[in-house]
Every structure is written in structure tokens, then in C-alpha cells.
Amino acid sequence: MCGIIGVIGHKDVASEIINGMTTLQHRGQDAAGVVTFSGTFKLKKGNGQVSTVFKDVDLKALSGYSGIGHVRYSTMGSTDAEDAQPIAVNYPFGLAMVHNGNVVNFKELRKTLYEENHRLVDTSNDVALILYTFASVLESKDLKNLSVDDIFDSVEEVQKKVKGAYSAMTIIANHGFLAFTDPYGIRPLVMGRKFTDKGVVYAFASESTTFDYLGYELMHDLTPGEMVFIDEKHQVHTRIGKTKKQAFCVFEYIYFAREDTTIYKRLVASERVRMGKQLAVTFKKSGLQPDIVIDVPNSAYFFASGLAEGLEVPYRRGLAKNSHMGRSFITPNQQAREKMVKQKLNPIRDIVVGKKIAVVDDSIVRGTTSKRIVQLLRDAGAKEVYFVSASPPIKHPCIYGIDMSVKKEILASNYKIDEIARYIGADAVVYQSLEDLEEMYSDLPICHACFSGKYPTGISKELLHEIEQEKLGSNRV
Ligand code: AMP
């Protein structure tokens, strides 16, 4: 998963973009990059968090009234700084691009680009595939008289050819700024504006929270297949391109997006409380009676508060978190991950001692985190521990940009619920049910492939296997 931001203004935008990227830092900490445009592209990117990459940045060297920024959380491909986004090409016109998501048919695209368009794409970076596909369609247009329709037609070709999840932004040198989404609208992208004495400034970002910080008014969420082009005169053009039945990633609400973000008019925090209340209904059916509900900080707080409310049991903070540690999930191996969980979380002894505890986390993937947490709570004197997962059992890898390991390591794809409870050492495990989750989103069609194995774009067994092998090869399990 990644975070992206773009600004089309009337004065230099680099510092605003860099500030905005820090508000998206939770979406990726591997690498960060910015490109601005002022006659030529000015690019700076590197490995690490925004504060590291842009620590001594010379803002004058990043001049330009429009720009795009990216924070990377790599799921596939290399982790070289060079492969970080944005990337830029100089023909036609000069194009720079960022995207959030994951391209599924990368091999096929690479082959087509070579055989039909004579472009050698020698990177495993999927934004390059989107960019080169776009460039190769665009260059077939009448470039002297390029119209907005030509640009939108080219995006529609991209939407036809590129399978997967992508919310993307492109600067087309001396022509304007383009944003678009895949036909299913899997990843979020919002558009906002700000009125200044020089005119309207437009911005796009992965999450609305960025606009709160930067003072933009949220205009709308880009819908599946939507394209927005802002020309040099700041005129806004839109078209709905190729669309399929919407499949918005529900894991954005569950885990990825920040709690103060609004997606499709739903505040993430409220969604989590709602899911917590629904969990209470399922939990009651188990007949278990906890003394307190606690959360695994930080993303599970709102689920836990909803669950506690639904169960009429007190919510307490039972685990303290050292927030200056990286994410347990992204560390390279199991042993390192286990050690990290221990360094990251510490039980608040007096709260948990002698209690029957319902501990809520957003998800169980490999079970490393939950196993350690159950042990920590038991060591601190908990009487019984019920592990509650706000998401339904994760059984299938995500191929749309969320790093979820490979099938053989995903606990629920190999074990039943009571076996999982035994494995993580809990007295019981309670999951959100997929049916309930679907019911909760009956008015916003969601992608639930990681729970159901129903991939909205469709995927062959062979390709799924290939993606898993690539993951194993890149050591990102
Ligand atoms: P695991 O230890 O493998 O069961 O991972 C579950 C933990 O990782 C939970 O505490 C989640 O908050 C967190 N998590 C789940 N999905 C992701 C993800 N895609 N990237 C980073 N962290 C995740």
C-alpha cells in the first residue's frame, strides 16, 4: 500500500506536498519521492520516511507550480531507491507519474510493450508499466493538437490494458495534470480545492485527512474509472472511463486508512465503531463473558470501543505501545517479527490481572502478533484471553497492493477457528463474519478477495501462483 498526493497551484508546491506526505506516512515508510514541474521535471526520492528523505532538501531545487508525491510500502518488486516513485519519462512531452495499488498482469504488459511498442521495461516497478502503457497510447495521437479527449481516450486504453488496482496521477509537461482510477475503484483517491488570492488550487490525495492538515476543502472521492484533467488554465475536465462493478478495498476501512479520514462520506473511525458493534452481536452468540475489552493499539481502538459498548462491558487500555518502533508486519522474518512485537507492546498489569479479557485486533494474518499478545497478557496475569479479529478470517493473499504474505503462511487459509485459537494460545477466537461485513456494505460494493478469494479483476491460478512465487523470491513474506 502506498500514499499519493498531487497539487496544482499558482506558486511553488513542493513544501506543501512534502508536508502532505507526512500525513500519509502510515501508508508507507519504505521510500518517499516528489516530482515538480517548472519547464523540466525536478525529482527527489530516496529510501526511508519523508523526514529522512527530505531532511536537508533544497526547496528551490524543487520549484514548480504543480507536483506529485509518493510514500512507498513495497509489496512487489525491488526496494531500490531508484525504483521508488515518482518516475518520469521525456516522451511524449514529458510525463511523470505516481500510483497506489498493484498491477496484476505485469508480465503480459511488459511483453506487449516490448513486442508492440518496442519499449524495454526492465524494472519490476509497476508504475512504470502504467506510465509506459499510457505513453505508448498517447504518442499515437496528434501531438501537435492534443485535446482533452485524446488524453481521456488514452487513459481508457490504459484502463482496458492494465489489470489490477491503481489510483494514479500524472503530470503531462506543459499540458496539465491528470488523475485517474482503475475500473473497479479499488484504492481511494480524493479531490480537494483551496481558494487563494491567486486563484483556485486543486489537490488530490489518498486520504482526506491530508486535506484537513493542508486546509483543502474535500470535493469528492474519485469513482471507479473516473478521470480528472486540470489544464494549464486550471480548467477542470472529467470523464468516467471504463468502469466495472465497484470493488472498494474494505481493508482500507479496517486497517489501512487513518481513523480521521473520510472515504465515500464514511468516517473511518465511525466505520470501525460500527464494525465493533457488529462484532458484539457475533461475540454474544459465543456465550463468552469478558470482564473487560482491550485493544491492540492503535488501529483496533475504535473496534474495541464499539465491541465494549455492544457487550456493555468496560473498555480499558490494557496494552501500552512504544510508537517509535517500525511495523511488525514489514520486518523480514518471523523471528524478527516476534521480537518486535515484544519490544513494541507492554501489558498494563493492573488492568489485566485476574481478568477475563476480550482483546481486539484489526486482523490475524500469520498469527505472530496475536500469539505474542496472548502470551504477554497471560504472563501479566490475565485469567482468560479471547482474541477478537475485526476482520473476517484472512484466507487469500491480496493482489491489489496490501502485503498479506503468501497462502501457505496465512493462518486461516490452513486452519479452522479452534485450531487457530490453540495455535495462538487463546481460550477462544472470535472473527467478524464475512456475511455481516458484506451486509454492512450493501450500499458500497467492496473488494473482499482476501477473505473470500473472489478477485474482482479475475485471476488465473497460474498467475496467482506466479505472484506468490515473486513474493517469496523478493523475501517479502
Ligand atoms: P500477523 O502477526 O501476521 O498475524 O499480523 C497481524 C498484525 O499485522 C495485526 O496486528 C495487524 O494490525 C497488522 N497487519 C495486518 N495487515 C497488515 C498489512 N498489510 N501491513 C502491515 N500490517 C498489517
Side-chain angles (χ1 to χ4, degrees), residues 63 271 351 361 396 399 463-464:
S63 61
E271 290 306 286
I351 304 278
D361 202 356
H396 306 269
I399 57 169
L463 191 49
L464 199 55

Side-chain angles (χ1 to χ4, degrees), residues 73 251 255 329 361-369 402-403:
Y73 161 54
F251 215 66
Y255 177 74
F329 210 84
D361 202 356
D362 51 80
S363 58
I364 302 171
V365 185
R366 305 177 195 82
T368 320
T369 314
I402 291 190
D403 196 2

Side-chain angles (χ1 to χ4, degrees), residues 322-437:
N322 177 357
S323 42
H324 301 284
M325 308 268 306
R327 282 178 151 168
S328 59
F329 210 84
I330 311 178
T331 41
N333 62 52
Q334 188 79 355
Q335 227 180 359
R337 267 194 299 266
E338 281 183 27
K339 192 163 162 233
M340 201 151 196
V341 174
K342 196 162 165 55
Q343 285 175 345
K344 208 160 145 182
L345 296 171
N346 194 30
I348 306 176
R349 213 166 271 273
D350 283 4
I351 304 278
V352 301
V353 71
K355 303 267 179 34
K356 289 193 275 178
I357 297 168
V359 53
V360 190
D361 202 356
D362 51 80
S363 58
I364 302 171
V365 185
R366 305 177 195 82
T368 320
T369 314
S370 33
K371 191 173 180 160
R372 295 296 307 164
I373 287 166
V374 173
Q375 191 58 48
L376 287 175
L377 293 170
R378 290 212 194 275
D379 290 349
K383 194 166 148 197
E384 288 187 21
V385 182
Y386 316 132
F387 206 93
V388 185
S389 165
S391 64
I394 292 176
K395 295 186 176 173
H396 306 269
C398 175
I399 57 169
Y400 303 124
I402 291 190
D403 196 2
M404 270 178 181
S405 188
V406 293
K407 205 163 173 179
K408 75 172 173 33
E409 289 199 354
I410 298 177
L411 213 51
S413 74
N414 300 298
Y415 298 102
K416 297 200 196 75
I417 296 188
D418 53 339
E419 290 171 327
I420 293 173
R422 225 170 302 132
Y423 174 76
I424 67 169
D427 295 283
V429 168
V430 177
Y431 279 104
Q432 184 83 266
S433 92
L434 177 56
E435 293 69 39
D436 287 346
L437 196 68

